[in-house]
């Protein structure tokens, strides 16, 4: 069974799959995200995830639990498009540079470079919407608008474009290591499934089994992602929660002085639950879409077919 042909159509389908995977999942867990961000910004506000959900619902109703779902959906849809689509593009670009043999020999390095490069693009697309999302979710009720368009106008009017992109550096610091772990761990875990547990060859298993491997591998990879990226995630939440002046390094220094090392890990268990589920579902949605349009599931299979390889 040959691999997929990596042409413009293939990359476009991967971009759409990534858009769906990230946009839908991040929007679905907005209630968890609201609590997580507030726990990072306000010390002692909630004692646990359950406490945060119940208090938010009691004080703000269902609207409080879905706060900033619009910027979340748009931002993370764009991020998913860049993350998954450009990952596939960069894998092939770097494979073309080093050659097929070296690409296979040093595949983990290739996965790392491709995913990290893709994430830089993905985060640039996400950043302004992330800034709006966090400002809305971490402002005390009644002190800031709950409407995405109004929030965008308020931030750009008072802080200019800088207000939308001030978190880009910390966002890269959070997401680039996160994504490298997400893709490398996923690819490696899928490979383990098909070499150690399901040894008949990937193509001999049903799509249901393959998608189950996808979800399990994604969930396990998500646990590692959450741990690696959590300190930077806390910094991003703190930076975007208030209007700030000064350089990025000055602001990060002030935040660390305020919360200390322990504060960087506030809300970690909530985030592990959130990211594990999120990552598993993202890979499942991504691969489900790929199989629905005639492509193979990700990882553990045969090599890709180059477009020019069909020309004899």
């Amino acid at each position: 069974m040959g691999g997929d042909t990596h042409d413009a159509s293939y990359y476009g389908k991967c971009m759409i799959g990534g858009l769906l995977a990230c946009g839908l999942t991040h929007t679905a867990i907005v209630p968890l995200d609201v609590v997580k961000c507030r726990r990072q910004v306000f010390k002692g506000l909630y004692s646990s995830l359950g406490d945060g959900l119940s208090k938010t619902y009691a004080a703000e109703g269902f609207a409080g639990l879905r706060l900033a779902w619009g910027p979340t959906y748009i931002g993370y849809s764009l991020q998913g498009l860049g993350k998954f689509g450009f990952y596939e593009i960069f894998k092939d670009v770097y494979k073309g540079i080093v050659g097929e043999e070296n690409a296979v020999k040093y595949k983990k390095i290739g996965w790392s470079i491709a995913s990290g490069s893709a994430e830089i693009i993905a985060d640039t697309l996400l950043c302004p919407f992330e800034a709006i999302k966090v400002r809305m979710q971490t402002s005390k009720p009644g002190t800031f608008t709950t409407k995405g368009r109004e929030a965008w106008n308020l931030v750009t009017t008072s802080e200019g474009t800088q207000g939308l992109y001030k978190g880009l550096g910390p966002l890269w610091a959070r997401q680039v290591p996160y994504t490298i772990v997400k893709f490398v761990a996923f690819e490696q875990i899928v490979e383990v499934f098909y070499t150690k547990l399901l040894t008949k060859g990937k193509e001999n298993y049903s799509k249901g089994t393959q998608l189950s491997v996808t979800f399990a591998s994604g969930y396990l990879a998500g646990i590692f992602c959450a741990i690696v990226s959590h300190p930077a995630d806390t910094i991003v939440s703190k930076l975007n929660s208030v209007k700030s002046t000064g350089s990025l390094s000055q602001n990060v220094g002030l935040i660390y002085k305020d919360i200390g090392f322990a504060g960087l890990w506030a809300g970690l268990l909530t985030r592990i639950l959130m990211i594990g589920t999120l990552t598993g579902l993202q890979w499942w949605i991504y691969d489900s879409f790929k199989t629905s349009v005639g492509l193979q599931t990700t990882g553990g299979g045969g090599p890709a077919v180059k477009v020019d390889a069909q020309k004899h």
Side-chain angles (χ1 to χ4, degrees):
M1 182 177 178
D4 296 318
T5 299
H6 287 202
D7 55 12
S9 174
Y10 173 82
Y11 299 131
K13 290 172 182 176
C14 290
M15 287 181 177
I16 295 172
L19 182 152
L20 294 172
C22 293
L24 294 175
T25 51
H26 275 278
T27 304
I29 61 166
V30 162
L32 299 180
D33 202 24
V34 170
V35 174
K36 184 268 299 181
C37 287
R38 288 178 175 177
R39 291 187 73 190
Q40 290 173 324
V41 173
F42 304 112
K43 296 179 180 178
L45 180 63
Y46 308 127
S47 61
S48 65
L49 171 61
D51 180 57
L53 291 172
S54 61
K55 285 184 176 178
T56 300
Y57 182 75
E60 304 168 54
F62 183 67
L65 293 176
R66 59 181 177 84
L67 186 61
W69 74 269
T72 297
Y73 179 72
I74 297 171
Y76 282 95
S77 292
L78 292 173
Q79 188 209 37
L81 181 151
K83 185 197 301 279
F84 285 91
F86 281 94
Y87 173 64
E88 297 294 341
I89 292 173
F90 283 127
K91 276 199 300 184
D92 289 340
V93 168
Y94 297 139
K95 184 186 295 183
I97 293 173
V98 304
E100 185 74 37
E101 183 178 343
N102 284 327
V104 173
K105 185 177 181 180
Y106 302 107
K107 58 187 175 183
K108 292 180 184 177
I109 296 176
W111 295 336
S112 299
I113 297 174
S115 59
S117 301
E119 190 60 31
I120 290 174
I121 295 174
D123 290 343
T124 304
L125 298 174
L126 165 67
C127 191
F129 298 96
E130 177 77 353
I132 298 302
K133 175 190 81 73
V134 173
R135 180 69 68 86
M136 291 173 67
Q137 290 178 340
T138 58
S139 295
K140 293 182 178 179
T143 64
F144 194 73
T145 182
T146 58
K147 298 180 179 179
R149 186 183 296 274
E150 290 182 7
W152 182 285
N153 291 335
L154 286 171
V155 170
T156 53
T157 299
S158 62
E159 301 178 54
T161 305
Q162 168 66 16
L164 298 176
Y165 287 96
K166 65 183 179 182
L168 183 57
L171 190 61
W172 279 336
R174 179 187 82 183
Q175 289 296 132
V176 172
Y178 168 95
T179 298
I180 291 174
V181 172
K182 173 178 181 172
F183 281 82
V184 174
F186 174 82
E187 297 266 19
Q188 190 66 51
I189 294 169
V190 170
E191 195 170 271
V192 169
F193 266 107
Y194 289 117
T195 57
K196 303 296 184 183
L197 300 175
L198 304 173
T199 57
K200 296 179 183 179
K202 173 182 169 180
E203 66 277 7
N204 294 314
Y205 292 97
S206 68
K207 284 295 184 285
T209 298
Q210 291 184 33
L211 290 173
S212 295
V213 169
T214 292
F215 177 79
S217 300
Y219 194 97
L220 292 172
I223 294 174
F224 295 109
C225 293
I227 296 171
V228 167
S229 62
H230 192 73
D233 182 65
T234 300
I235 295 295
V236 170
S237 293
K238 294 287 286 185
L239 272 174
N240 286 321
S241 65
V242 295
K243 179 179 179 180
S244 58
T245 58
S247 68
L248 173 61
S249 60
Q250 289 174 329
N251 291 327
V252 171
L254 289 173
I255 290 170
Y256 184 79
K257 184 178 180 180
D258 177 46
I259 66 177
F261 182 77
L264 292 174
W265 301 96
L268 177 60
L269 292 179
T270 299
R271 192 157 184 266
I272 286 176
L273 173 64
M274 184 176 81
I275 297 300
T277 305
L278 185 79
T279 306
L281 286 174
Q282 282 179 356
W283 279 111
W284 184 84
I285 292 171
Y286 178 64
D287 271 359
S288 293
F289 177 80
K290 285 176 67 178
T291 58
S292 74
V293 294
L295 302 179
Q296 297 182 31
T297 56
T298 306
V305 177
K306 297 180 180 179
V307 176
D308 59 0
Q310 297 180 342
K311 300 177 181 178
H312 299 289

